[in-house]
Amino acid sequence: MPADWPKWSLAVDLDRCTGCQACVVACQAENNVALNTEDIVNSRRTIAWIRIERYWDGEYPNIRARFLPLLCQHCGNAPCEPVCPMYATYHNADGLNVQIYNRCVGTRYCANNCPYHARYFNFWEREWPQPLNEQLNPDVTVRSKGIMEKCTLCVHRIRRTTRQARREGRQVADGELQTACAQACPSDALIFGVVTDPNSRVAKAAADARRYTLMEDMGTEPGIFYLKKVDPYAEEEHNEAHGAAAPAGAPAQGGTSGAH
Amino acid sequence: MRVTRRNFLKLMAVSGAGTVAFAGCAIPEQELAIQAPVAPPEDLLQGFDAWYATQCSQCSAGCGLIVRVMEGRAKKVEGNPDHPLNAGKSCVRSQAAVQGVYHPDRITNPLRRKTAVRDRGVADFEPIKWEEALTMVAQKLREAKGQDAVVMITEPLNGHDGLIAQRFAQNLSAQHLALEPLEAGVEREAIRRVYGTDQLPDYDIRNADVVLSFGADWLSTWWSPVQYGRDYGDFRQGRQGKRGMFFHAESRFSMTAANADKWLPVKPGMEGLLAYAIASAIVSRNFGGERAAIGTINQGGGLDDYRPERVARSLGVDAGTIYEIAEKFAKASAPLAIGGGSAAAQSNGLFNMVAINSLNVLMGNLGKAGGVRFNPAPVGGLPANSGGASLQDWVRLSDRMANGRPNPVQVVLVHGANPVYELPNALDFRSALAKAPFIVSFSSYMDETTAMADLILPDSHPLERWGSGIPTPGPGYATITFQQPVIKPQLDTRPTGDVLLGLAKDLGATNNLPWTSVKQAVQQTAEDLWRGGKGSVTAPGFDAFWYGVLQRGGWWDTNATGATPRSTPIAAPGPEEPEFGGKEEDFPFSLIPFVHNSLGAGEGANLPWLQAAPDPITTAMWQTWVEISPEVAKKMHIEVGDFVEVTTPQRRVVLPAYINPANPPETLAIPLGQGHWQYGRWAYNRGVNPMTLVEPVADKGVGGLAWAATRAKLAKASGNMMLPLLEGDLGGYAVAPELHEIVQITRL
């Protein structure tokens, strides 16, 4: 691929995220995600390409809730990619992990391998009671039963904008194109752009001292990165990648299992 | 018929539309006759989208939106990048607006109660044509003679729709009440008294360096969550080398509390005491130096009653913390205090709110960057969400409808409000309304109030009609948002503003209502703005101006700011203790109902995206729950999902429990939003509305409903349910915590 091929990335600034869920619904609206009705939620089959995980830290009254937006990390060394028997998922030149819906036959091995639990399977045929289907985005495939889906970093928006720019003989400007989640986020916690462009906001975020990636030493090389939450009252610094003794009051682990 | 290249082209010509969907090779001819408009709208280009700017109507803030329209369908809502309030950002509720347009349970045409069905508890309607319906309404209005014979209940008045409703009511000598689900009357009165302004002020969070807030869940709901969210992000990380500090005092652990650097679990009703304790600390230890204009609070003395050592125990916050926060606040170059929400919803709400707002006067931040900025009078003299009727007003109306005294109610018109669902049970509004002889609802959905109506004249969706709005609070300068239809009305509905104008004409009640449509009224204001020749859009001719403001979504003038009032000394009154509904010995817990992040006070419950949006703190969806602390849960052997009885002097309900490690031990927190018995398939018959538990305690200063002043008791009930939670959904990250810090934190 050409040396100047753009590599898209998303930065998540944990000090800006408020936990408001705007990104969650914006993504569902943009990407024709199935309606998560109560029975589906109770079956633990919620599909949310981006979700806000809430971790508890500390004890009452010095208790904190930490919000972590979690989406497909678009790993450079993705555990989901080599295991698909249909080659339905691969890493493209833009730096995205791509899901090809019509190749997927639903072995679910990819979701099994994803350490971030960022892949979602359509266990049922989904319905949108008429006329709710009028709202569906024609740019995005509606997935049927048996298909795996996940965050695409709004690849349909990337394609539309880059094609338009190419027609006009120019580059895509930083900020011209946003993923649905980044566009909605009121506090600008989600920053999307070309990380290989040193002048872009996301590249500047990548240079921030607070930068880290999730479960770095698993070797997945995530394309998404996070900026550490700042807490002037934290008892200890919670920023050791590995090898350090567990600090007092470490965040509760176990997905978003929390209260007990 | 076999599709060959030759007849493919022939078929294309016949359809004229250009896009043909092929199911397979053998296609019956009739399937290819595409319904293509003979003269497609100018902006309809298949495969391409058109974006229209309009106004968001999902909460009272009034952000600007742009809506993506493809082939006549509203596909996606985004924030309007130009709009001063939200600058392109949106929230969970605005994103769900399109589901409101295409809702399967939307009322499709005017409806009339079937004559045989007299019981208002039964929602059985038959279709009626607009002309017949309007004739009926006009007749009823003509017959309703006398002052206040007609009652109009609406949302808080705003923009041209508000103006038309207001004047319509005046022309008919009707009583008008605006329903503000969690009324902000106390907050507004405190602002009037402390700052001397009627307009809600602009809190300049983005330029503050220490924010101290009390009660208001300003990041999640409250006045203007998108604007404040934007500000918050930059407050934290938008300034090179500077990060704002944020302290929040609230009687429950809200989403706002979760984002604070320090949360103070202040006891309910003690927020004002805490504010004065902080003022006392600032003054006694001279933290503010010359800056703290101690003359502005109680003429420099008399804060002794509020010394932190004296009041800490009753506050639930220790004295050391109070001194620490007081020092940080007073030594900040741009300190800012914000209050509202549950702090105002107490019997001493006005006392609390005056105390909190006085901190801004003490620190002299009025009119300064990072402080309290003021908004000018609304553009065009339009109503600007000046709030709702007080609890006492609703009590009186309920009484009048039930008893017919002093003068009977004959016609009730309802728009943008659902009082049967929203008002506390204690008012018995439902049985009172049932006695009204004739009820007309303009709702687009069959909500609880609409289900009791005699006639339903469904309004078009805000995305389908003209209007305007004054964002409240404003961004610190004159702003008006224009609302234009982004799609044609999908159903047989009519904009209520147009309906009212038509009725006014029929009844000869057109005083101050010279327009034939809302659009015309909006254009008249636009014309005045064009003639003014300033602000964000100027143009040589009106047509260009009109298209200009529609494209930008509104008009604003950054030079038209609000005047900063002169700070006047405010006497700190003697401590005013809160009073609660229910005696502590019988009802040991404080009940804190809270506005739900996506469902609000219940208006969002009909939209599935909002039902499925997890509550930020508990991650719960689709149900009502009661949050209890781990120590209470342990003592009473309660686990997540176990049914518990929550009893207040009003009512007893059974709810699933959620164990919230951040819950103060003596509180029970219950989200608003559910408990509908109408309102469509996704809202109907789930959960409980905690407003039905609330005692009608009123604030002593203004008479507002003190919805956070009810006490409750708790008992374990039998059985349990699966509470729909996102947490625990996925297998945990089964790795040792010391190896993989998921949320990394730095003290910087």
Side-chain angles (χ1 to χ4, degrees):
Chain A
M1 76 199 73
D4 62 351
W5 196 275
K7 179 174 184 293
W8 299 96
S9 181
L10 185 82
V12 183
D13 189 342
L14 297 180
D15 202 31
R16 283 179 177 256
C17 175
T18 62
C20 75
Q21 317 286 327
C23 56
V24 174
V25 178
C27 169
Q28 292 176 345
E30 179 78 17
N31 292 296
N32 304 335
V33 176
L35 298 178
N36 293 311
T37 50
E38 190 179 9
D39 52 332
I40 288 170
V41 174
N42 280 337
S43 313
R44 306 290 195 214
R45 306 292 189 209
T46 309
I47 298 185
W49 292 7
I50 186 168
R51 63 179 184 267
I52 305 293
E53 304 201 327
R54 181 240 56 233
Y55 292 87
W56 293 113
D57 189 2
E59 281 192 18
Y60 181 86
N62 297 315
I63 188 160
R64 322 245 197 289
R66 309 290 189 194
F67 298 115
L68 182 90
L70 195 113
L71 61 156
C72 168
Q73 303 286 297
H74 296 277
C75 303
N77 191 13
C80 61
E81 287 168 13
V83 297
C84 176
M86 309 305 294
Y87 298 105
T89 183
Y90 73 100
H91 216 79
N92 78 0
D94 298 302
L96 270 48
N97 170 273
V98 172
Q99 184 74 21
I100 308 170
Y101 298 129
N102 51 2
R103 287 187 76 97
C104 175
V105 292
T107 60
R108 293 151 46 205
Y109 201 154
C110 55
N112 188 51
N113 260 21
C114 174
Y116 306 102
H117 301 282
R119 288 176 153 275
Y120 303 90
F121 188 68
N122 283 285
F123 284 94
W124 302 279
E125 203 65 54
R126 305 297 190 144
E127 279 172 7
W128 283 267
Q130 294 232 0
L132 218 47
N133 56 310
E134 301 280 8
Q135 179 276 326
L136 292 172
N137 185 352
D139 286 343
V140 177
T141 308
V142 175
R143 286 78 58 191
S144 39
K145 170 174 159 181
I147 303 294
M148 189 66 75
E149 62 180 60
K150 66 177 190 72
C151 166
T152 62
L153 280 186
C154 284
V155 66
H156 57 284
R157 289 188 176 198
I158 295 175
R159 291 288 167 261
R160 237 185 214 273
T161 311
T162 49
R163 282 174 191 153
Q164 184 69 21
R166 206 178 305 136
R167 271 198 285 270
E168 292 170 10
R170 58 170 180 85
Q171 298 281 4
V172 174
D174 184 44
E176 180 185 354
L177 153 64
Q178 303 216 61
T179 53
C181 54
Q183 188 167 1
C185 178
S187 55
D188 261 335
L190 301 171
I191 306 158
F192 177 75
V194 177
V195 73
T196 44
D197 168 13
N199 295 319
S200 68
R201 277 188 66 210
V202 71
K204 294 192 176 131
D208 196 313
R210 291 187 292 131
R211 179 195 190 284
Y212 78 101
T213 54
L214 289 186
M215 299 201 278
E216 190 154 14
D217 52 319
M218 291 196 86
T220 53
E221 293 170 21
I224 306 298
F225 60 94
Y226 289 77
L227 299 181
K228 292 179 198 171
K229 170 75 190 154
V230 180
D231 181 357
Y233 291 101
E235 286 104 23
E236 299 275 343
E237 301 277 307
H238 291 277
N239 59 8
E240 297 300 312
H242 67 100
Q253 294 294 308
T256 47
S257 70
H260 41 274
Chain B
M1 153 187 112
R2 253 188 85 239
V3 179
T4 61
R5 181 174 167 71
R6 184 169 296 174
N7 54 24
F8 173 91
L9 294 170
K10 211 166 43 162
L11 291 164
M12 290 288 281
V14 163
S15 77
T19 318
V20 176
F22 281 65
C25 289
I27 304 133
E29 221 166 348
Q30 55 268 33
E31 274 187 26
L32 293 166
I34 305 299
Q35 300 285 337
V38 170
E42 295 183 353
D43 51 8
L44 188 151
L45 203 55
Q46 281 183 322
F48 286 87
D49 48 15
W51 291 81
Y52 295 99
T54 185
Q55 180 183 219
C56 184
S57 308
Q58 304 293 108
C59 88
S60 59
C63 293
L65 299 181
I66 49 175
V67 182
R68 185 189 196 212
V69 177
M70 292 184 85
E71 294 169 36
R73 291 156 179 85
K75 295 293 186 183
K76 185 93 197 300
V77 160
E78 300 289 0
N80 179 354
D82 272 342
H83 198 278
L85 213 69
N86 57 319
K89 297 304 177 175
S90 51
C91 73
V92 64
R93 292 195 266 177
S94 70
Q95 284 290 329
V98 285
Q99 287 202 319
V101 179
Y102 299 112
H103 199 288
D105 301 322
R106 229 181 118 180
I107 297 174
T108 54
N109 46 263
L111 295 170
R112 157 178 54 194
R113 173 172 289 275
K114 287 191 181 146
T115 26
V117 184
R118 293 321 313 159
D119 178 1
R120 286 201 189 283
V122 178
D124 201 359
F125 296 89
E126 61 194 0
I128 178 177
K129 293 238 183 319
W130 272 101
E131 273 52 48
E132 196 185 338
L134 291 171
T135 308
M136 196 190 289
V137 179
Q139 186 56 24
K140 292 285 182 184
L141 289 173
R142 245 178 240 119
E143 289 166 4
K145 301 239 188 304
Q147 181 73 33
D148 295 349
V150 177
V151 173
M152 267 185 86
I153 300 172
T154 68
E155 70 274 33
L157 298 174
N158 195 347
H160 287 89
D161 273 305
L163 186 70
I164 289 167
Q166 188 180 58
R167 291 180 178 178
F168 185 80
Q170 279 165 358
N171 293 351
L172 294 187
S173 305
Q175 179 185 19
H176 172 262
L177 290 110
L179 178 60
E180 194 168 35
L182 275 80
E183 51 182 291
V186 172
E187 294 168 358
R188 287 172 203 273
E189 180 60 26
I191 281 160
R192 244 174 241 125
R193 291 197 192 184
V194 176
Y195 306 133
T197 175
D198 277 334
Q199 312 305 326
L200 293 182
D202 170 41
Y203 294 124
D204 192 20
I205 294 162
R206 67 175 48 244
N207 291 314
D209 55 359
V210 174
V211 169
L212 171 58
S213 53
F214 301 76
D217 195 3
W218 53 271
L219 280 171
S220 168
T221 52
W222 204 53
W223 289 355
S224 201
V226 181
Q227 182 192 26
Y228 297 148
R230 269 184 66 213
D231 271 16
Y232 173 82
D234 286 350
F235 165 81
R236 289 300 205 186
Q237 291 293 338
R239 298 170 287 189
Q240 194 70 354
K242 179 163 157 179
R243 177 180 186 269
M245 278 285 270
F246 166 36
F247 303 107
H248 184 68
E250 192 176 348
S251 49
R252 77 169 264 269
F253 190 75
S254 63
M255 189 184 106
T256 302
N259 283 291
D261 293 304
K262 210 167 206 155
W263 166 55
L264 309 175
V266 63
K267 295 206 167 129
M270 297 298 184
E271 296 87 355
L273 208 63
L274 175 62
Y276 280 133
I278 289 171
S280 174
I282 291 172
V283 166
S284 67
R285 299 237 181 126
N286 200 24
F287 286 142
E290 278 171 20
R291 278 204 56 206
I294 60 175
T296 59
I297 285 193
N298 215 34
Q299 288 84 37
L303 282 173
D304 218 51
D305 285 344
Y306 299 99
R307 269 189 295 121
E309 298 81 10
R310 280 195 163 167
V311 296
R313 194 132 50 104
S314 41
L315 291 183
V317 182
D318 69 273
T321 305
I322 297 174
Y323 278 110
E324 184 204 332
I325 289 176
E327 185 172 5
K328 290 205 161 72
F329 185 73
K331 290 189 173 167
S333 52
L336 174 62
I338 299 171
S342 55
Q346 299 289 345
S347 67
N348 63 347
L350 186 61
F351 166 81
N352 293 338
M353 291 305 304
V354 167
I356 294 162
N357 283 294
S358 301
L359 286 172
N360 289 317
V361 179
L362 178 70
M363 296 312 304
N365 68 12
L366 302 193
K368 302 219 173 90
V372 183
R373 307 256 273 255
F374 293 88
N375 282 300
V379 170
L382 290 164
N385 189 11
S386 50
S390 76
L391 175 66
Q392 297 315 312
D393 293 330
W394 292 110
V395 167
R396 269 183 245 122
L397 175 65
S398 203
D399 196 45
R400 191 158 77 87
M401 286 194 299
N403 303 318
R405 287 190 303 268
N407 40 352
V409 173
Q410 292 179 31
V411 178
V412 181
L413 307 173
V414 185
H415 180 273
N418 190 3
V420 168
Y421 166 82
E422 284 168 3
L423 291 174
N425 264 12
L427 273 67
D428 210 9
F429 190 83
R430 189 177 180 180
S431 12
L433 182 67
K435 298 202 173 136
F438 193 70
I439 304 170
V440 181
S441 169
F442 297 95
S443 177
S444 306
Y445 311 100
M446 188 64 75
D447 61 35
E448 288 76 9
T449 307
T450 305
M452 293 177 67
D454 293 292
L455 202 60
I456 304 172
L457 305 177
D459 195 1
S460 297
H461 192 277
L463 293 181
E464 296 168 339
R465 55 178 159 88
W466 292 95
S468 68
I470 308 288
T472 316
Y477 48 87
T479 306
I480 177 171
T481 313
F482 286 115
Q483 177 180 298
Q484 61 169 324
V486 309
I487 49 175
K488 287 205 315 251
Q490 302 290 296
L491 307 164
D492 186 14
T493 60
R494 288 192 191 179
T496 302
D498 290 351
V499 170
L500 292 181
L501 288 171
L503 282 170
K505 187 147 170 256
D506 271 348
L507 297 167
T510 53
N511 189 29
N512 283 326
L513 290 173
W515 314 289
T516 51
S517 67
V518 177
K519 180 180 180 183
Q520 200 188 32
V522 175
Q523 275 183 317
Q524 189 170 70
T525 299
E527 234 180 297
D528 294 337
L529 292 172
W530 166 62
R531 278 186 227 286
K534 46 189 164 87
S536 55
V537 182
T538 51
F542 175 67
D543 278 347
F545 178 85
W546 178 240
Y547 286 121
V549 291
L550 289 182
Q551 277 194 327
R552 293 204 77 187
W555 176 92
W556 41 90
D557 182 2
T558 52
N559 293 320
T561 55
T564 301
R566 298 183 42 183
S567 324
T568 47
I570 301 150
E576 198 182 305
E577 297 288 317
E579 282 166 21
F580 300 101
K583 290 213 276 277
E584 192 170 345
E585 51 267 30
D586 300 326
F587 299 98
F589 291 91
S590 293
L591 176 70
I592 313 282
F594 61 94
V595 180
H596 190 282
N597 186 56
S598 53
L599 306 180
E603 61 277 8
N606 62 338
L607 303 182
W609 281 335
L610 298 183
Q611 286 280 10
D615 168 66
I617 300 300
T618 61
T619 75
M621 302 166 254
W622 290 100
Q623 287 294 340
T624 310
W625 61 91
V626 51
E627 295 173 26
I628 61 180
S629 72
E631 55 181 78
V632 168
K634 190 159 167 209
K635 202 158 58 152
M636 296 175 72
H637 307 289
I638 296 171
E639 291 179 10
V640 174
D642 280 353
F643 284 127
V644 292
E645 273 181 3
V646 177
T647 312
T648 67
Q650 274 301 306
R651 196 185 168 200
R652 172 190 324 175
V653 297
V654 173
L655 286 173
Y658 179 87
I659 302 167
N660 183 346
N663 212 51
E666 340 71 46
T667 64
L668 301 174
I670 301 180
L672 292 166
Q674 311 283 13
H676 285 277
W677 62 95
Q678 296 282 352
Y679 207 31
R681 69 190 66 184
W682 290 296
Y684 162 78
N685 216 20
R686 54 179 62 255
V688 165
N689 180 2
M691 286 304 249
T692 60
L693 291 164
V694 160
E695 273 281 272
V697 179
D699 154 74
K700 292 218 184 79
V702 172
L705 175 66
W707 47 262
T710 301
R711 300 199 67 93
K713 62 182 176 194
L714 184 72
K716 187 167 179 185
S718 62
N720 58 30
M721 70 178 273
M722 188 154 189
L723 186 59
L725 295 168
L726 184 70
E727 66 181 20
D729 187 351
L730 302 150
Y733 299 115
V735 288
E738 64 271 17
L739 291 180
H740 297 288
E741 296 277 7
I742 299 294
V743 178
Q744 293 198 12
I745 298 159
T746 176
R747 264 190 302 212
L748 257 189

